Amino acid sequence: MKCTRSIILIVVVIAYNVTAEWLDWGEYGNCSRPCGGGLVNKTRTCLGATHTCTGTNIRYKVCNTQACGSEGLFIRDKQCQSFNNVSIKDNYFHWVPYYSSSEPCVLYCRTVETGFILKMQAQTWNGTACGKQSGGVCIGGRCKKVGCDDIVGSKRKLDPCGVCGGDGTSCDKTRDHRKRHHEAYVTGFQWDIGWSMCSKTCGKGIQVPFEVCKNLDTGEEVGTRFCSGTDKPSLPRTRVCDERDTCDFRWQTSKWGSCSRSCGDGFKYRRVVCVKRYNSSIEHVLDHNCVDAKPQGKTSCYLGDCPEWLTGPWSPCSVSCGYGQQKRKVVCRASSTDLCTTEHKPATVQKCFSGKSCGTGSFQQDDSTVTEHDFFDDAMLQDLFTLPRFVVSSWGPCSVTCGVGYRHRNVTCKKDSQVVPFSECEGTEPHSKRECHQGKCPLTASGDEAFVWRHRKFKPCSQTCGRGTQTSILECVDVVSNRTVVDFLCEKLIRPGPITQYCNVIDCPPGWRVSEYGTCSVPCGGGRQSRDIECVQMTSGGAQETLPLYRCPDPVPLSERSCNLKFCQAEWKTGSWAECSVTCGAGFESRPVFCVKHLKTNLQVNVSDSECIGPRPTNTRPCYFGDCYKLQQLPEIKERKGVFIQTKRSKRIRLYVGEKAILLPNQSVKIKCPVRNFHKKLIFWTKDHRLIPLVGRVRVSSNGALRITRANPKVDTGVFTCSAGLLHATVKVSFQSKREAKQQADTILNSIFQANFNGSNFQADGTSKMKNTKYLHINAIDENSGYDYSSFTTSNWTECSEKCGWGTQTRIVTCNHLTDKFIRLLPEEECLKRGLEKPTSTQKCIIESECPSWTAGEWSECTDEKCEKVGHSVQTRVVQCLYKNQTEALVSKCNIIEKPIAREHCKNPNCTAEWQTSKWSDCTPLCGAKGRKLRTLSCVWVSTKLPAYNVCRNKAKPSVSKTCKPAKCRHTETCVDNSSFCDLAGHLKMCRYHKFRWKCCKTCKQANIS
C-alpha cells in the first residue's frame, strides 16, 4: 500500500508540471473596414491551460488607412456624423471630431454651428486613430502604440537609413552616400498643409490650418511617422470661408391644438421652433439664432360656462331634540336645466341632530350611511375608473353533422355590464369561430347537384349599437338532408358573394373619447401635458356626434397630468463672441461660458462648473483682420490748456482746443484744432453728438477750424469736439456780461499791481507807468490805453496748519496773460518761458512757540463709596492741559483726541447690592374687620447702605405689604370731622396716619367701611 501511494503521487506531480506552449501564429484575416483606418488580426493557440501561456493570443495590425471618398473622412469622422440625425432638445446639429489629449479614445464631437463639445460615447470604435498626428490606435478604449511595421504594440522604428527595425548599417558608411540614401527614402513622403471644416454651415466662417503627412505618389494622407525626417512647414493664418449661401433664420409654428377644457377657461398649445433655411432644405437650430421675438406657444381659450349645481343654505333642524331633517334649495345654473346631470345633483335633504337628546335612555347612535355627495376626493375619483373588457359566451354546436364544420360564440366589449364599441377594449379580441370535426360523411351518387351553396345565417353584428353591419355565412348544404357539409363538396360550384345587412340600428349611449397625451411642456424640472376629451355618441345613422360634457357619465377623464418630474441636468451655455482683440493682424475673440440649470419653464440659474457633464466649451478662438499697415507718423492734436476770459468785445477772437472760454455775447470766434500728420479737410466738429455743417452761422472751414459768427449764449453754450480719425479734443464755451468781465479783470490787475508796485496808484487802462519785475512782464503798451501783460498772481495765504509750534501756510499761484480785451489763465510754464519767477506757494508759520500737552495725575483709590455696578467701583484722576513750566493752558490748545481718560471702572468685591426694607407700619385702618401693614423698599449697597438704584432689578423683591387684623370699631357719636379739609384727606388716602384719623374721624371711618 505504501508503494502504491508513492507511485500515484509521482504520476500526479509529473502531469502537473508539463509546460504549456503556443502554437504558430495563424494568417491575418480581412480588414475590418475598406477605408478610413481598420484592423486585421491573427491568433494562436495555447497547448495546455490557457493561463499558463505567457503573452497574448491575438495580434492586431493597422490596415486601409487611406481616407474614405472625396470628402476624405476617417473612422472618427463617421462616428460623429452618425449623430447628425439625432435630436437634442428638438435641435439638430452637424458634428465633427474633437480630439482630447487627455482622453484620446473617448469619442468627443463638436457642433459646426455653435462649437459646443459633447462626450458622445465612452470609447471609440476599435481601430480609431488616437489623434490627428498620433502614431497609435484605440483598442478597447485604450490607446495602443503602432510600430513602423503597422503592428499594434510593436516597438520597431525607422533607423537613419529609413529601414523599419534596422540598425543603421544597411546603407553605405560614407556620410554623403548615407545622406543621399536617407533622402531618397524620405522623398516619397512630404508635409503638407490641411484645412479644417468651415466653422459655419452657411455665411462666412473660419478655417484653421494644420500639418498633414502625404504620400507624394498617391497624394493620400498617411501617419506622421513617415514624415519624421523632414521639417514641418510654417502654418499660415486662419482664412475666411464662405460655405453656403446667406443663412435665413426664422420661427416656425405648428397649428394650434384643441382647447384643454370642453367648457370654461382652458389653454391651447402649439410647437414653436427656430429653423435655418438654405437652398431648399430646412434644419432645426438653437433658439438664440432667431433674433425676432419668439411667437407664443400657449394661449387661452374659452368654450362657454360649465353647467353647475348651486346650493342654498341649510334650514334649521326640524326638531328641538334628537334627530331630525334639514332641507336646502338646489338649482341648475346653465343655459338649460337639462345640461345638469341628476347623478351629480347635491342632496336637498339631510339628517341633523338638534344638540340634545329627548330624554334619559332615548338617545341612540345614528347609523345612517354617508352619501356619495358628502365626500368626493381624488382617491374615489380614480376608483370610479373601470376599464372595458372582452366578455365571451360558451361555444355553440358544430355547424355540420359530418365532416369539418365550425363552432361559434358571442364576443362583446363591456364596461360595467354595459356593451360598448370593440375599439374601447384593450388587448387582442378573442376568436368567435373555430373548427369542429364530426366524422367522415357518406358518399352519394347524386352528382354535383346533391350539394349547393346557401346563406344559412348571419355573423354577429359588428357593433352593439350605432348601426353596425353583419354578413351572411355561406355554407355547403346537402340538398337531400338539408344539412351542412364540408365546404370542399361545393368547390366545383360557383361561390356566391356574401349578403350584408345593417344591424343594431339604435343610438349608442354617450361615451368619452380621449386622445393620446401630447408632449410635455418641458423636458425636465416638472411640466404638464394635456390631451383632448370629448363626449361623443354614435347615432343610429352611423354618424358620430359631439355632445356637451355633462351628457357623458362620470367620472370625467383627466385632461392634464404632470410629466418629466426629474431634475434638469446642468448644461453648458455660451454667450456671444466679443469683438476681436485687434483691429488688424491675428488676435483673439472671447465669449462668456456658463454652467446653467433649468429650474422650470423660462427660469434658469448659474451653478458650479462641476455640475455640467462634458468638456467645457472653449471661450477663446483666433481671429484675423488682414495685415497691419505701419504708419510712418501717427496723428497728433496739439492742445492748449488754460482758461480764456473775454473782457472787451473785438472783431474776432481766436481760441484753441483744450481751453475753457468765457465770452461776451454776440462775439465772433474762431477755434483752431492744430493736428499733425493728418489731412485738415478730414477734420470734423460736433456739439452734443451732432455734426456741425460746412456752411451756416456755426460752420467748419476748409482748414479744419470752427467758426462761430455772433455767438448766441442760448445756443452756443456747451462743449465743442474736434475729431481727427480716432483722436478727439474739446473746447468748453460759456458766456458772461460786460460788468462781470470788467470786475474780474480789475480784480486780477489790482492783485498784479499790489504784488509788484507796493500799493501805488494804478489805472486799469494801463496809462500809469509800469516796468518789468520778477513777477511781471510787459509785453506791449500803446497810447490808446492798450496793454499786454504776463504775470504771476497769488491768492491770500491760508491759516497756519498748527495752532502751536511750526506749521505751514499755502496759497494758489496762477500764471496770467492780460490784455485790454481778454485774460488768459495759462499753465505756469508759459510765465516761466518769459523769464518770470514763480512766487512761493508755501511758507512756514508759527502762532505760539510752545505746545502744551496733557498731564494725568494718580488714580484715586477703589473705594466702596463709589460703587457703580456689581463687583466694580469707580476711580478717577485729574487730567490737565499744561505747558512745560506747569502753567495751565486752554483745553482747546491740546489735542482732544490724545486726551487721557479721567475715569474708569475698578474691581471691588465689596460692591454688592441688596433690597433694604423699612419697618412695618401700623395696621390700617385702626378698627374694622380687615387691615393691611405697609413698608418701603429700596436698593442699597451692602457696605455703605448708599442707594444702588436699579442694580437690584434682577433680584427677588421682598413683599411690601401684608394683611393684619385691626381692633373692633366702637360706634360712638363723638366720631366727627374737625376740619373742613377732611374730604381731601379721604381722597389722598391720608387716613393711614394717626393724626388724620383723629382729626377726620368720620371721613376715615366711612373710607374704611367702603
Side-chain angles (χ1 to χ4, degrees):
M1 292 295 292
K2 293 181 179 180
C3 183
T4 306
R5 288 179 181 176
S6 300
I7 293 171
I8 294 172
L9 180 61
I10 293 170
V11 171
V12 171
V13 171
I14 293 172
Y16 183 79
N17 289 331
V18 172
T19 304
E21 294 181 352
W22 290 107
L23 293 181
D24 294 335
W25 287 99
E27 296 296 328
Y28 280 108
N30 296 327
C31 191
S32 60
R33 295 179 187 85
C35 59
L39 293 173
V40 294
N41 65 73
K42 61 181 180 180
T43 59
R44 59 179 176 176
T45 305
C46 177
L47 292 179
T50 304
H51 64 276
T52 60
C53 291
T54 58
T56 179
N57 67 332
I58 189 169
R59 178 176 292 174
Y60 294 94
K61 186 176 182 180
V62 178
C63 57
N64 293 342
T65 58
Q66 73 278 7
C68 296
S70 59
E71 296 180 352
L73 301 179
F74 291 89
I75 303 177
R76 198 180 290 265
D77 297 289
K78 291 188 175 182
Q79 292 177 74
C80 287
Q81 285 185 358
S82 63
F83 295 95
N84 287 353
N85 295 325
V86 177
S87 172
I88 299 180
K89 293 185 177 181
D90 296 333
N91 292 287
Y92 295 87
F93 303 92
H94 291 89
W95 298 94
V96 295
Y98 173 82
Y99 295 90
S100 173
S101 57
S102 60
E103 295 178 312
C105 292
V106 176
L107 181 62
Y108 286 103
C109 298
R110 177 179 60 85
T111 63
V112 176
E113 293 81 0
T114 65
F116 179 76
I117 300 171
L118 189 63
K119 181 180 179 181
M120 294 301 193
Q121 291 179 350
Q123 62 185 45
T124 59
W125 295 343
N126 289 343
T128 304
C130 296
K132 283 187 176 181
Q133 302 176 7
S134 174
V137 294
C138 295
I139 297 178
R142 294 185 178 183
C143 186
K144 304 288 186 180
K145 293 292 184 180
V146 179
C148 59
D149 54 357
D150 290 336
I151 296 177
V152 178
S154 172
K155 297 182 179 180
R156 289 191 175 186
K157 299 181 179 179
L158 293 174
D159 67 348
C161 298
V163 178
C164 181
D167 55 0
T169 59
S170 61
C171 53
D172 191 88
K173 293 185 178 180
T174 305
R175 180 179 179 181
D176 295 337
H177 184 73
R178 186 187 301 118
K179 182 177 180 181
R180 288 194 301 270
H181 182 84
H182 181 64
E183 289 177 351
Y185 173 79
V186 174
T187 52
F189 304 94
Q190 183 178 354
W191 287 106
D192 196 1
I193 297 175
W195 293 91
S196 66
M197 295 180 65
C198 193
S199 61
K200 296 183 179 179
T201 57
C202 59
K204 289 187 178 180
I206 294 177
Q207 286 181 298
V208 180
F210 58 89
E211 304 98 341
V212 293
C213 182
K214 287 190 177 181
N215 188 324
L216 294 179
D217 297 333
T218 63
E220 297 177 350
E221 184 177 344
V222 296
T224 58
R225 60 185 180 276
F226 293 103
C227 296
S228 59
T230 59
D231 295 332
K232 291 184 179 180
S234 59
L235 294 177
R237 295 186 176 91
T238 57
R239 67 184 183 185
V240 179
C241 53
D242 193 354
E243 190 68 16
R244 294 179 184 170
D245 297 335
T246 304
C247 300
D248 180 18
F249 297 98
R250 63 180 61 183
W251 294 105
Q252 186 180 66
T253 59
S254 62
K255 294 182 178 180
W256 287 106
S258 57
C259 194
S260 60
R261 299 287 298 273
S262 57
C263 64
D265 294 320
F267 294 99
K268 294 192 295 184
Y269 300 89
R270 65 177 178 181
R271 185 182 181 192
V272 181
V273 295
C274 182
V275 297
K276 177 173 66 176
R277 301 172 183 265
Y278 53 89
N279 296 338
S280 59
S281 61
I282 297 178
E283 179 182 350
H284 290 191
V285 295
L286 295 175
D287 287 354
H288 68 78
N289 290 297
C290 290
V291 296
D292 297 335
K294 185 176 182 180
Q296 292 293 331
K298 177 183 177 181
T299 185
S300 59
C301 55
Y302 179 74
L303 298 181
D305 293 335
C306 296
E308 62 176 333
W309 290 103
L310 298 180
T311 59
W314 288 104
S315 65
C317 197
S318 59
V319 295
S320 59
C321 65
Y323 287 94
Q325 286 185 337
Q326 284 180 303
K327 296 183 180 180
R328 65 177 176 182
K329 190 174 182 179
V330 179
V331 296
C332 174
R333 187 177 71 176
S335 58
S336 173
T337 55
D338 297 336
L339 298 179
C340 292
T341 56
T342 57
E343 289 84 359
H344 282 152
K345 183 178 181 180
T348 57
V349 180
Q350 70 174 8
K351 286 185 177 181
C352 61
F353 179 61
S354 62
K356 63 179 180 179
S357 57
C358 294
T360 304
S362 62
F363 180 84
Q364 291 183 352
Q365 180 66 32
D366 186 9
D367 295 328
S368 61
T369 59
V370 179
T371 64
E372 65 177 2
H373 300 290
D374 294 328
F375 299 100
F376 198 73
D377 55 13
D378 291 342
M380 292 184 61
L381 184 65
Q382 295 296 332
D383 293 339
L384 292 175
F385 280 98
T386 54
L387 299 177
R389 61 187 181 87
F390 287 107
V391 178
V392 296
S393 64
S394 58
W395 290 103
C398 190
S399 59
V400 295
T401 56
C402 65
V404 180
Y406 296 96
R407 294 179 183 271
H408 297 274
R409 66 177 177 181
N410 290 328
V411 178
T412 55
C413 178
K414 290 187 177 182
K415 178 182 178 181
D416 287 339
S417 72
Q418 292 185 355
V419 178
V420 296
F422 277 77
S423 58
E424 296 190 17
C425 283
E426 297 182 356
T428 306
E429 180 183 349
H431 294 291
S432 61
K433 174 183 177 182
R434 71 179 181 185
E435 287 187 353
C436 54
H437 301 271
Q438 296 294 94
K440 189 176 182 180
C441 293
L443 297 176
T444 63
S446 59
D448 294 337
E449 297 180 356
F451 304 98
V452 294
W453 291 107
R454 288 182 182 174
H455 299 282
R456 300 294 290 264
K457 54 184 177 180
F458 286 86
K459 295 180 180 179
C461 192
S462 61
Q463 295 181 186
T464 57
C465 58
R467 200 178 76 169
T469 57
Q470 57 183 171
T471 56
S472 60
I473 300 175
L474 197 63
E475 297 178 347
C476 184
V477 179
D478 186 348
V479 176
V480 177
S481 63
N482 198 27
R483 291 186 301 180
T484 302
V485 295
V486 293
D487 289 350
F488 72 87
L489 297 176
C490 297
E491 288 180 352
K492 296 182 179 180
L493 302 176
I494 298 174
R495 188 185 185 96
I499 299 173
T500 302
Q501 67 180 15
Y502 291 115
C503 55
N504 292 337
V505 186
I506 56 175
D507 292 342
C508 293
W512 296 106
R513 184 176 67 183
V514 296
S515 64
E516 296 293 332
Y517 278 106
T519 56
C520 194
S521 60
V522 292
C524 55
R528 304 290 295 175
Q529 57 183 166
S530 59
R531 63 178 178 179
D532 295 331
I533 299 175
E534 292 181 300
C535 179
V536 297
Q537 182 183 32
M538 188 67 71
T539 63
S540 60
Q544 191 178 64
E545 293 184 357
T546 302
L547 304 177
L549 297 183
Y550 70 88
R551 295 285 300 276
C552 281
D554 287 330
V556 180
L558 298 177
S559 61
E560 283 191 354
R561 68 180 180 185
S562 301
C563 56
N564 292 343
L565 301 178
K566 61 182 182 298
F567 285 109
C568 293
Q569 173 63 46
E571 61 179 358
W572 294 108
K573 289 289 185 181
T574 57
S576 302
W577 288 104
E579 294 183 356
C580 192
S581 59
V582 296
T583 57
C584 63
F588 291 92
E589 53 187 5
S590 60
R591 64 177 177 181
V593 178
F594 310 99
C595 181
V596 300
K597 178 177 286 187
H598 295 272
L599 299 182
K600 59 182 182 178
T601 306
N602 297 328
L603 178 61
Q604 63 183 30
V605 294
N606 293 350
V607 295
S608 173
D609 288 359
S610 60
E611 296 192 28
C612 279
I613 298 177
R616 191 174 189 269
T618 179
N619 61 345
T620 59
R621 67 181 181 186
C623 53
Y624 182 69
F625 277 93
D627 296 332
C628 296
Y629 297 97
K630 296 183 179 179
L631 298 175
Q632 298 298 327
Q633 291 180 335
L634 296 175
E636 178 185 2
I637 297 179
K638 187 177 180 180
E639 297 182 83
R640 285 193 182 183
K641 300 297 181 181
V643 180
F644 180 90
I645 305 172
Q646 185 182 6
T647 58
K648 185 178 180 181
R649 188 174 289 107
S650 60
K651 183 177 180 181
R652 178 169 295 171
I653 286 179
R654 180 177 298 174
L655 301 176
Y656 294 88
V657 290
E659 288 186 314
K660 177 182 178 182
I662 304 175
L663 307 177
L664 297 176
N666 298 322
Q667 176 63 51
S668 297
V669 185
K670 179 181 180 182
I671 307 176
K672 300 192 69 176
C673 183
V675 184
R676 295 180 181 177
N677 308 320
F678 195 81
H679 202 290
K680 294 184 179 180
K681 290 187 176 181
L682 299 180
I683 298 174
F684 63 92
W685 288 79
T686 58
K687 181 178 182 293
D688 299 333
H689 305 289
R690 292 186 178 181
L691 190 65
I692 296 176
L694 300 177
V695 294
R697 185 182 63 83
V698 181
R699 63 191 183 279
V700 180
S701 62
S702 59
N703 60 355
L706 177 66
R707 295 179 180 272
I708 304 176
T709 303
R710 298 182 65 80
N712 186 352
K714 294 183 180 180
V715 180
D716 300 328
T717 300
V719 178
F720 294 86
T721 303
C722 168
S723 299
L726 299 177
L727 301 179
H728 307 281
T730 60
V731 172
K732 185 175 181 181
V733 177
S734 60
F735 295 87
Q736 67 180 358
S737 64
K738 282 185 178 181
R739 179 179 297 178
E740 293 172 337
K742 188 175 185 307
Q743 291 175 354
Q744 195 169 4
D746 291 345
T747 301
I748 296 176
L749 287 171
N750 288 332
S751 64
I752 293 174
F753 186 75
Q754 293 292 336
N756 291 279
F757 302 103
N758 300 324
S760 300
N761 292 331
F762 175 76
Q763 300 296 328
D765 59 3
T767 58
S768 64
K769 295 182 179 180
M770 300 178 65
K771 61 181 179 179
N772 293 337
T773 66
K774 62 180 180 179
Y775 302 135
L776 174 68
H777 182 271
I778 302 174
N779 300 323
I781 297 178
D782 57 23
E783 297 178 354
N784 298 324
S785 299
Y787 56 89
D788 189 339
Y789 307 138
S790 294
S791 174
F792 277 112
T793 58
T794 58
S795 64
N796 295 328
W797 289 103
T798 62
E799 294 183 359
C800 194
S801 61
E802 302 293 339
K803 295 181 180 179
C804 60
W806 286 100
T808 56
Q809 288 179 298
T810 60
R811 63 180 178 179
I812 300 173
V813 179
T814 308
C815 176
N816 304 279
H817 180 202
L818 294 91
T819 70
D820 57 331
K821 296 180 180 178
F822 64 85
I823 302 171
R824 259 197 172 98
L825 307 182
L826 303 173
E828 61 182 31
E829 291 81 4
E830 297 296 328
C831 287
L832 295 177
K833 288 179 183 179
R834 299 185 180 274
L836 299 179
E837 182 180 341
K838 180 182 178 183
T840 58
S841 58
T842 60
Q843 69 177 8
K844 289 186 177 181
C845 59
I846 184 170
I847 299 176
E848 190 174 338
S849 58
E850 183 184 352
C851 291
S853 61
W854 293 108
T855 302
E858 297 293 331
W859 288 107
S860 64
E861 293 184 2
C862 194
T863 62
D864 297 346
E865 286 75 11
K866 294 184 179 181
C867 289
E868 200 167 87
K869 59 182 180 180
V870 177
H872 291 81
S873 183
V874 174
Q875 58 183 5
T876 60
R877 64 180 177 180
V878 177
V879 178
Q880 295 176 302
C881 180
L882 301 176
Y883 291 106
K884 290 182 180 180
N885 59 2
Q886 301 303 310
T887 304
E888 189 172 359
L890 294 175
V891 176
S892 59
K893 292 188 177 183
C894 287
N895 191 347
I896 193 65
I897 298 176
E898 298 176 355
K899 184 179 180 180
I901 60 174
R903 185 178 185 274
E904 70 176 2
H905 286 98
C906 57
K907 292 185 178 180
N908 188 339
N910 295 330
C911 291
T912 56
E914 65 178 0
W915 290 108
Q916 179 176 282
T917 58
S918 66
K919 293 183 179 180
W920 291 105
S921 66
D922 294 335
C923 188
T924 57
L926 296 177
C927 63
K930 188 175 182 182
R932 182 169 294 276
K933 288 184 177 183
L934 304 174
R935 63 179 177 180
T936 59
L937 184 67
S938 59
C939 179
V940 297
W941 297 108
V942 175
S943 59
T944 62
K945 302 303 179 180
L946 295 174
Y949 304 107
N950 62 346
V951 177
C952 302
R953 60 182 178 274
N954 295 327
K955 294 179 178 291
K957 289 184 178 181
S959 61
V960 294
S961 67
K962 65 179 180 179
T963 58
C964 60
K965 189 173 182 180
K968 294 183 178 180
C969 296
R970 287 179 285 180
H971 299 281
T972 61
E973 296 181 356
T974 60
C975 185
V976 294
D977 292 335
N978 296 319
S979 175
S980 59
F981 299 99
C982 286
D983 290 337
L984 294 175
H987 290 298
L988 297 177
K989 298 182 179 179
M990 303 300 291
C991 292
R992 63 177 179 268
Y993 298 103
H994 176 73
K995 187 175 181 179
F996 284 91
R997 289 197 301 271
W998 174 78
K999 199 75 173 174
C1000 304
C1001 179
K1002 183 178 179 180
T1003 300
C1004 290
K1005 184 177 181 181
Q1006 292 176 352
N1008 182 43
I1009 295 173
S1010 61

